[in-house]
Amino acid sequence: MNPIRPTRSLQGFGLIEVIIVVAIIAITAALALPSYSRTMGRARTTTTTNSLLNAVNDARSEALVRRKGVSICPSTDGNTCAGTDWSVGWIVLQDSGANGAGDGKPALRAWPAVPPNTTLTASTAVAYINFSRMGTAKIGATGASNVSFTSKPTPCVAGDARQVTVKSYGRASVAPTTPCT
């Protein structure tokens, strides 16, 4: 009599099964990556515009509370105003002289440079925005009526850019902007 041996069940995955699963994961990742990159670019753009809007509102609020001039300006070191390139970061500082030079006191608040693959450009070369004790804005040395800052990811697709506009009466607003130029 032949004893019947119990059959051993096979466990694990075969090579073909593993290759199929890896191929499915690779295809899914290839399809999702462009969408993910665009989502991250839009998130960085939104963060940049919200930070700038927050800084402008903070500067205006500080001017009203302190009853003295307060400026917001680009800054590379977080302490002093520097140039007209807002993508390097910006600071809010007390500035009674309304000239962007500050009163010699430390900055009230500083923001870092914009994230990588994100640009921030002003509609005109503006070295500072000064808010008077009444909350009105003097935009740069010329006192322009308004200035717009456009933030966009790189690469930019229509609808990804956002714009912060500061009016001379002190109000700031943010809105999407269509062109990516």
Side-chain angles (χ1 to χ4, degrees), residues 71-74 81 83-84 86 95 97-101 124-131 137-147 149 168:
S71 288
I72 176 174
C73 59
C81 297
T84 59
W86 291 77
D95 185 17
N99 57 9
T124 58
V126 176
Y128 64 92
I129 301 169
N130 179 270
F131 290 94
K138 176 184 173 193
I139 300 170
T142 61
S145 61
N146 65 31
V147 65
F149 298 91
S168 61

Side-chain angles (χ1 to χ4, degrees), residues 80-102:
T80 57
C81 297
T84 59
D85 181 8
W86 291 77
S87 66
V88 299
W90 50 87
I91 58 172
V92 170
L93 68 156
Q94 187 171 313
D95 185 17
S96 300
N99 57 9

Side-chain angles (χ1 to χ4, degrees), residues 28-121:
T28 304
L31 293 174
L33 190 60
S35 176
Y36 177 74
S37 295
R38 183 167 180 215
T39 300
M40 291 305 297
R42 284 194 290 191
R44 285 190 299 267
T45 299
T46 300
T47 299
T48 299
T49 53
N50 288 345
S51 292
L52 184 60
L53 182 66
N54 180 27
V56 169
N57 288 334
D58 188 41
R60 184 172 191 246
S61 176
E62 285 292 333
L64 292 168
V65 168
R66 293 170 183 265
R67 308 284 297 156
K68 292 183 179 184
V70 173
S71 288
I72 176 174
C73 59
S75 176
T76 55
D77 63 3
N79 293 313
T80 57
C81 297
T84 59
D85 181 8
W86 291 77
S87 66
V88 299
W90 50 87
I91 58 172
V92 170
L93 68 156
Q94 187 171 313
D95 185 17
S96 300
N99 57 9
D103 290 347
K105 297 181 180 177
L108 301 172
R109 192 157 175 215
W111 282 261
V114 300
N117 299 324
T118 306
T119 62
L120 180 66
T121 54

